[in-house]
Amino acid sequence: MSTSTDRHGAPTSETGARSAPGGDHTGTREPSGPPEAHPLLARLDSPLSTYYLLIGSIGALLGIGLIMVLSASSVSSLQENNSLFTVGVNQAKFAAIGLVGAVVVSRLPVRTWQRVGLGVIGAAIIMQLLVFVPGLGVTVNGNRNWLRLIPGLQLQPSEFGKLGIILYGASVLTVKRRLLGDWKHAVIPVVPAAGVVIALVLAGGDLGTTFVLIGILFSILWTSGISARLFGFAAAGGVLLVVIMARVSQNRVARITSWLSCDTTSADPLCWQAKNGAFALADGGLLGQGPGASREKWGWLPEQHNDFIFAIIGEELGLIGTLTILLLIGLITFACYRVILQTDDRFVRLATAGVMGWIVVQSVVNIGAVLGLLPVIGVPLPLVSAGGSALITTLLGLGMVISFARSEPACARALAGRPRVLARSLSVMSPLRKRTR
């Protein structure tokens, strides 16, 4: 085959195809290597992706929650406190405290978390016992689950019980990792210690928090790798316990009966709440009535800024708003799952699974009640509903997960090599100062 040169002087074949210099002049293009990954997928492969995903999704969900608490509570706050902003400002104060705490704990090393488990669960049990002391314990909506610290300030010890079960369970099961084939080591002392917290919360009448505590315990046990048979027995025991808990309390029986028999003609207060929650979601449609434009918060929907804030979100922000909430909760869950997959530390894996179970179970119970799929048992929506104790402890738990994400070797190296914000700002401002002189 003869060759010639094109107008640029490069050799070509008879067919006119330019030949590669110094190679086999076949006219075919050499492979250029594997295709580049999509930019979004490349960012997910970054060692900092889980860290930033946690911070971004937590911050977005908290921001929406603060705005919606202010909106949902404005009418009741005006009626009770002569101010539209009382509940919203209080929630912002608790958010500030929780954020400071989350920033502090996100810098703690993993071993610190592992050492404080016994102290946290012990403190939670003591505080939960104080709930039953006359003058200290406070009953809210039929649940004796609050401590009065000073006039106007109350604390819910069961929220700290969630952290206690996570830290204590993860630390003990980490130490016993080679003995978990024996059911006695898999159960003792984690299940009895968690059982004390659960029993005290249940004695106060708080069935919703009891569900969440059981969900946290099961998440840790499942992730620890105990045998499927033992886990099956534990699950059966948990279901039996829930049935017994529901049967021995007239309040809980009434909640379940109201849920099963609720219709448009029922005058039951719990059914009234569920119906108006459904009306709020229906009125919202696709895009909602607009921020602040809810009609249900004008005395129709009880607990509109707490247990049923998801209904107000649906009414004011529509289906788009509710799906955004679900997306952000899903992103937090996904980020926790990435921490579990990426770590080789057993304690980190178990503690993160506990926090993930906490967020998922509590969200399902809250949203399920608003949608009418579950009885109304009074559980706040994480990072969204009003409530100081719940907000602060949730931020502390997620701050712990952020500390785990930061402690991964690749993430730690990337953060250490990243220019500091102050140094970057000074480097940007330096040329500007020179130009102005």
Side-chain angles (χ1 to χ4, degrees):
M1 181 176 62
S2 62
T3 61
S4 61
T5 59
D6 63 5
R7 60 190 180 94
H8 298 291
T12 60
S13 64
E14 288 180 345
T15 59
R18 183 178 294 184
S19 303
D24 184 14
H25 310 309
T26 58
T28 59
R29 181 173 295 178
E30 293 291 333
S32 58
E36 293 184 1
H38 190 276
L40 179 59
L41 297 178
R43 288 183 180 272
L44 286 176
D45 289 335
S46 167
L48 293 172
S49 60
T50 304
Y51 173 73
Y52 285 129
L53 184 60
L54 277 169
I55 293 177
S57 54
I58 292 168
L61 189 60
L62 179 62
I64 294 174
L66 291 174
I67 294 171
M68 292 310 303
V69 166
L70 177 61
S71 174
S73 66
S74 57
V75 176
S76 60
S77 181
L78 180 63
Q79 293 172 342
E80 298 172 5
N81 306 292
N82 294 321
S83 172
L84 294 170
F85 309 106
T86 302
V87 176
V89 169
N90 286 338
Q91 185 73 355
K93 292 178 181 177
F94 290 125
I97 295 172
L99 285 173
V100 171
V103 171
V104 171
V105 301
S106 69
R107 265 60 178 178
L108 295 179
V110 174
R111 294 307 144 228
T112 299
W113 289 110
Q114 194 167 357
R115 286 193 293 264
V116 302
L118 180 60
V120 174
I121 196 171
I125 291 174
I126 292 173
M127 288 191 297
Q128 196 65 45
L129 285 170
L130 292 177
V131 167
F132 303 101
V133 176
L136 289 178
V138 179
T139 300
V140 178
N141 295 331
N143 297 334
R144 192 175 181 85
N145 199 25
W146 296 84
L147 278 177
R148 181 183 286 112
L149 301 179
I150 58 175
L153 181 61
Q154 297 178 168
L155 173 71
Q156 192 173 5
S158 59
E159 293 295 331
F160 295 91
K162 298 172 183 177
L163 278 175
I165 291 177
I166 291 171
L167 293 173
Y168 182 70
S171 60
V172 171
L173 292 174
T174 299
V175 173
K176 289 192 168 190
R177 58 186 177 275
R178 301 186 185 279
L179 303 173
L180 295 182
D182 186 344
W183 70 271
K184 295 187 292 296
H185 289 285
V187 170
I188 301 172
V190 173
V191 174
V196 172
V197 178
I198 293 171
L200 290 175
V201 173
L202 186 59
D206 193 346
L207 183 61
T209 302
T210 301
F211 273 129
V212 179
L213 292 172
I214 293 175
I216 290 171
L217 179 60
F218 274 40
S219 299
I220 297 173
L221 291 175
W222 175 261
T223 309
S224 68
I226 65 174
S227 67
R229 178 179 299 180
L230 178 59
F231 191 83
F233 285 135
V239 172
L240 180 62
L241 178 62
V242 169
V243 173
I244 295 173
M245 289 188 301
R247 296 286 295 177
V248 298
S249 170
Q250 291 298 322
N251 180 46
R252 297 172 203 136
V253 171
R255 289 176 180 271
I256 296 174
T257 303
S258 174
W259 170 58
L260 293 175
S261 60
C262 185
D263 56 38
T264 56
T265 61
S266 176
D268 183 271
L270 291 174
C271 184
W272 168 272
Q273 186 178 23
K275 287 189 297 183
N276 280 279
F279 293 156
L281 292 171
D283 289 342
L286 179 63
L287 300 177
Q289 300 291 331
S294 167
R295 293 188 287 266
E296 290 292 335
K297 67 184 179 185
W298 288 82
W300 294 97
L301 181 62
E303 300 295 334
Q304 70 276 5
H305 57 282
N306 196 340
D307 301 340
F308 269 71
I309 195 170
F310 189 75
I312 302 299
I313 293 174
E315 185 181 12
E316 294 190 353
L317 305 182
L319 180 64
I320 301 299
T322 57
L323 290 180
T324 300
I325 297 296
L326 294 177
L327 174 63
L328 291 172
I329 294 172
L331 288 176
I332 294 174
T333 305
F334 174 67
C336 291
Y337 183 66
R338 282 178 64 94
V339 173
I340 295 173
L341 290 182
Q342 292 171 351
T343 184
D344 294 325
D345 191 308
R346 185 177 181 83
F347 173 80
V348 170
R349 189 177 295 123
L350 296 178
T352 305
V355 174
M356 185 172 70
W358 173 1
I359 299 299
V360 171
V361 173
Q362 191 162 314
S363 299
V364 168
V365 173
N366 176 275
I367 296 174
V370 175
L371 296 178
L373 303 176
L374 294 172
V376 179
I377 54 178
V379 172
L381 187 60
L383 298 179
V384 179
S385 294
S389 299
L391 181 59
I392 291 173
T393 52
T394 303
L395 286 171
L396 290 178
L398 291 170
M400 176 180 67
V401 178
I402 293 174
S403 75
F404 295 158
R406 287 175 56 92
S407 65
E408 282 299 300
C411 183
R413 288 193 298 270
L415 289 173
R418 185 185 57 177
R420 300 296 180 188
V421 174
L422 180 59
R424 286 198 305 247
S425 302
L426 292 176
S427 65
V428 172
M429 294 297 295
S430 177
L432 296 178
R433 290 174 181 171
K434 292 180 180 179
R435 292 176 185 175
T436 56
R437 290 177 181 174

